[in-house]
């Protein structure tokens, strides 16, 4: 049975203002009645398509939502697996205990480097608060991911962050690119292809030594213990925003529907964009590449940000391929 991940941004409210944040609205907020209706929609969608459900709850900052734990429990009662993506600053032992009792599959905490660098990106004091949150999660044996968002300000932070994660008992450290169109990258956050390629090779070396887990960022580099990653946007992944908007993924900002005026099933079935994402062939530029069928052209969001076409080859790919 195929797994389907709904990445649900239940609120746009957040206690931080990170330099690379994709949001321009911090007000949208899902009420419990809306959450309940949407969860029923998702459950019906899973049954209609015979998918195995996975609900990734995020924001904004999801721990600001008073109905987060109700939602996680309701999803569990329906047999839907759950995860929480958080900045970690609001996590404590009490919150971690509640998450543990609700059986979340994992919690992902964002760390963008060691203290000074992380705080320069996410705000003073956010590093120590997030690290304390990670300690709370590991104290209750919750599978803990650390997500590292690569930008120019933290290119040298991967190795020290990997050492920190090992000391904290983190289960998985992975990283990904800031995805911004050039016209919107006014502060020069996005690394060059060469800079990103160098970091990916560094990560691959750390992976071979068992110090980092390769993930989405390394779809072009088959690392030990992991196959080449393939983008699932619009196929087995949808993003749902707190204002009802549906997108193939949060970083592929093409609105394909709105659950206030149509069901998830209708949107998934009828959206021309989603149908194209599910059926598109390997980009012509990838023909002849030994990884073409596995990665299918790379991240659709990166292609769209840099070329305006989600069916193009990921522009960073040529710099990343290694043996």
């Amino acid at each position: 049975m195929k797994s389907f991940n709904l990445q649900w941004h239940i609120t746009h409210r957040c206690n931080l203002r990170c330099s690379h944040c994709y949001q321009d609205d911090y007000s949208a907020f899902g009420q419990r009645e809306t959450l309940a209706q949407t969860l029923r929609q998702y459950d019906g969608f899973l049954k209609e398509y015979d998918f195995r459900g996975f609900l990734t709850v995020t924001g904004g900052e999801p721990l600001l939502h008073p109905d987060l734990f109700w939602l996680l429990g309701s999803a569990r009662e329906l047999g839907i697996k759950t995860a929480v993506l958080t900045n970690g600053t609001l996590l404590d032992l009490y919150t971690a205990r509640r998450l543990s009792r609700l059986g979340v599959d994992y919690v992902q905490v964002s760390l963008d480097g060691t203290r000074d660098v992380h705080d320069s990106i996410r705000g003073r004091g956010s590093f120590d608060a997030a690290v304390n949150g990670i300690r709370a999660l590991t104290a209750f044996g919750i599978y803990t991911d650390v997500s590292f968002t690569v930008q120019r300000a933290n290119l040298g932070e991967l190795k020290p962050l990997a050492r920190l994660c090992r000391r904290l008992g983190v289960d998985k450290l992975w990283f990904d690119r800031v995805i911004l169109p050039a016209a919107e990258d006014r502060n020069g956050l996005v690394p060059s292809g060469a800079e990103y390629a160098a970091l990916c090779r560094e990560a691959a070396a750390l992976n071979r030594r068992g110090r980092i887990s390769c993930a989405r960022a390394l779809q072009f580099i088959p690392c030990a213990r992991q196959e080449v990653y393939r983008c699932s946007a619009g196929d087995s992944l949808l993003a749902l925003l707190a204002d009802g908007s549906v997108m193939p993924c949060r970083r592929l900002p093409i609105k394909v529907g709105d659950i206030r005026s149509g069901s998830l099933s209708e949107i998934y079935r009828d959206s021309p964009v989603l149908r194209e994402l599910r059926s598109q062939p390997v980009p012509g530029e990838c023909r002849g590449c030994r990884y073409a069928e596995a990665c299918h052209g790379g991240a659709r969001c990166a292609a769209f940000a840099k070329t305006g076409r989600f069916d193009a080859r990921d522009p960073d790919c040529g710099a990343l391929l290694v043996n």
Side-chain angles (χ1 to χ4, degrees):
M1 183 184 291
K2 185 176 181 179
S3 181
F4 191 97
N5 185 358
L6 181 66
Q7 188 180 85
W8 193 351
H9 300 250
I10 58 172
T11 179
H12 293 177
R13 298 176 186 173
C14 191
N15 59 322
L16 302 181
R17 294 295 183 270
C18 306
S19 61
H20 57 276
C21 184
Y22 302 112
Q23 291 186 188
D24 53 14
D25 163 43
Y26 290 90
S27 62
F29 186 85
Q31 302 297 329
R32 180 178 291 201
E33 181 180 357
T34 303
L35 298 183
Q37 292 172 349
T38 303
L39 184 60
R40 287 195 296 270
Q41 269 199 44
Y42 182 45
D43 185 49
F45 166 78
L46 295 170
K47 289 181 171 64
E48 179 178 346
Y49 285 91
D50 196 28
F51 288 143
R52 183 173 58 251
F54 202 108
L55 183 63
T56 304
V57 185
T58 185
E61 173 46 55
L63 286 167
L64 287 172
H65 201 300
D67 293 323
L68 169 65
F69 299 101
W70 170 85
L71 177 61
L72 294 171
S74 298
R76 185 182 182 186
E77 289 175 2
L78 293 171
I80 298 171
K81 292 185 175 183
T82 58
V84 176
L85 312 186
T86 171
N87 62 41
T89 60
L90 303 179
L91 284 167
D92 55 21
L93 289 171
Y94 172 72
T95 303
R97 183 185 297 112
R98 294 183 73 184
L99 292 169
S100 176
R101 288 175 176 172
L102 288 167
V104 293
D105 275 60
Y106 68 90
V107 176
Q108 178 181 292
V109 177
S110 297
L111 282 181
D112 290 325
T114 49
R115 181 180 288 107
D116 289 346
V117 174
H118 177 93
D119 282 0
S120 72
I121 293 170
R122 293 184 177 260
R124 183 177 298 178
S126 59
F127 175 85
D128 288 337
V131 167
N132 287 337
I134 290 171
R135 290 193 173 109
L137 293 172
T138 58
F140 283 93
I142 297 171
Y143 191 97
T144 304
D145 281 2
V146 163
S147 171
F148 173 50
T149 302
V150 177
Q151 53 187 283
R152 281 218 165 96
N154 61 10
L155 282 169
E157 292 291 290
L158 186 59
K159 285 183 179 179
L161 187 59
R163 289 194 293 269
L164 172 65
C165 287
R166 285 173 66 85
R167 290 199 301 271
L168 292 173
V170 167
D171 295 286
K172 180 178 178 181
L173 166 63
W174 68 277
F175 71 93
D176 207 344
R177 299 163 272 184
V178 167
I179 302 292
L180 285 173
E184 297 179 16
D185 188 21
R186 300 178 185 89
N187 297 318
L189 301 179
V190 179
S192 68
E195 289 171 328
Y196 188 63
L199 190 63
C200 286
R201 290 184 171 86
E202 181 181 325
L206 287 169
N207 177 270
R208 285 192 291 272
R209 297 198 295 272
R211 296 179 182 176
I212 188 173
S213 173
C214 291
R216 176 165 41 191
L218 302 179
Q219 63 249 26
F220 311 118
I221 303 178
C223 298
R225 303 177 304 282
Q226 180 168 315
E227 296 178 354
V228 174
Y229 176 85
R230 177 169 173 172
C231 177
S232 59
D235 179 20
S236 57
L237 166 71
L238 286 178
L240 172 61
L241 306 192
D243 64 3
S245 300
V246 179
M247 298 177 177
C249 89
R250 184 62 184 90
R251 302 190 309 162
L252 182 53
I254 303 173
K255 184 174 177 178
V256 296
D258 192 314
I259 60 162
R260 295 170 297 185
S261 56
S263 70
L264 279 173
S265 293
E266 292 168 341
I267 294 166
Y268 186 76
R269 181 187 66 231
D270 298 335
S271 164
V273 170
L274 297 182
R275 288 202 303 265
E276 186 174 350
L277 282 166
R278 292 194 294 271
S279 63
Q280 68 182 24
V282 174
E285 308 98 307
C286 299
R287 289 173 190 156
C289 173
R290 60 178 167 149
Y291 303 131
E293 290 299 327
C295 90
H296 217 74
R300 302 299 85 217
C301 57
F304 185 75
K306 295 189 177 184
T307 71
R309 291 174 46 207
F310 59 74
D311 61 342
R313 175 183 63 84
D314 186 322
D316 287 332
C317 176
L320 300 182
L321 282 173
V322 297
N323 295 320

